[in-house]
Amino acid sequence: MKFCSECAQPVSLLIPPDDNRPRFVCEHCGTIHYQNPKMVIGSIPLWDADGESRVLLCRRAIEPRYGYWTLPAGFMENDETTDEAAMRETMEEAGARVELHELFSLLNVPHVHQVHMFYRATLLDLDYSAGVESLEVRLFSESEIPWNEIAFPTVSHTLKQFFADLNRIKSEGGCYRLHTRDLRKPMRQDT
Amino acid sequence: MKFCSECAQPVSLLIPPDDNRPRFVCEHCGTIHYQNPKMVIGSIPLWDADGESRVLLCRRAIEPRYGYWTLPAGFMENDETTDEAAMRETMEEAGARVELHELFSLLNVPHVHQVHMFYRATLLDLDYSAGVESLEVRLFSESEIPWNEIAFPTVSHTLKQFFADLNRIKSEGGCYRLHTRDLRKPMRQDT
Ligand SMILES: [Zn+2]
Ligand SMILES: [Zn+2]
């Protein structure tokens, strides 16, 4: 940020009175331009049929991580709720209708100022199709997931925890729980 | 937003190519200025002694809702995690040291572009004290809570759900669960 978005004068980086960290401040009109983390919200669309549990992944048609696989997810918008964001992104990226369940994972990615959240979801039909930000969309069983071609550590972590819970529930019963984790390092594939 | 924060030229509100909603766009330098919801993160500091469960509330020394009671909470900052934000706000507003537990509530407040989250926490000692944004800080048992003087519906809702879970766990066992809710109407006291 170089200029004030209210009055177009140059901004200064300084600690305002009663604050304890540097902000972009306009000394002309007095506006303090706060910058805060953003939420990336998505779903884990599950299709359970013929004794097999499969999840819907999208292959990215955009940078970063062009060509890599991800769960449908994207930046939450103003005027919507976290659930609405998850369903909207699932429709936009995968053309998929889902019934949304509870929040499954919450992952902090502080070095990029993001919090990622994924909701469990049930895919309602097989009429999905790649949106403009996806090259292709398809269902993967746990053994088919291309672990070395997953776009983001938050997605790898969510998928691993999801299948762990799913397998445990199938064998022992019980229920899903909320998984939280901090992913502090630069984006890597080995988390 | 009136001017581009990168080049100081006036911005236009228009739908960029491959997008589906109006954004503030700088037609001079090409920057798209996205605006996204913010996270407000806090804690529910519990002090359990002499058979009584009490939570720590702060009376606000700032607008909005000057003089009303709230759980310690505030805007999440860049470069921190949700847990760190909850602990920092608890220290800044209530001067209180807590051990943080799992996420207890997630509340969408879409008309103000906010998501509020509260973590369960155990107060570690009684050396709390009002920070600059608080007039006073004190412990309240469930029956003492000033329900008509709570600052925000997200705080009322979180406190009600918290004591409901606490009472159920004391009488029947079991555990806390994540409470999610959308609070769509303008801020009111009756939620
Ligand atoms: Zn200004
Ligand atoms: Zn510009």
Side-chain angles (χ1 to χ4, degrees), chain A residues 2 5 23 77 84, chain B residues 2 5 23 77 84 184:
Chain A
K2 299 182 188 126
S5 53
R23 312 282 182 188
E77 300 278 3
E84 289 166 348
Chain B
K2 299 182 188 124
S5 54
R23 313 281 182 187
E77 301 277 4
E84 289 166 348
R184 291 182 180 276

Side-chain angles (χ1 to χ4, degrees), chain B residues 3-11 25-31 33:
Chain B
F3 301 97
C4 177
S5 54
E6 293 304 307
C7 78
Q9 295 301 305
V11 291
V25 175
C26 176
E27 296 181 272
H28 183 74
C29 76
T31 302
H33 299 278

Side-chain angles (χ1 to χ4, degrees), chain A residues 171-186:
Chain A
S171 66
E172 306 167 23
C175 52
Y176 293 93
R177 64 176 190 83
L178 176 65
H179 296 265
T180 60
R181 185 159 166 183
D182 302 338
L183 294 166
R184 291 183 181 274
K185 297 288 173 201

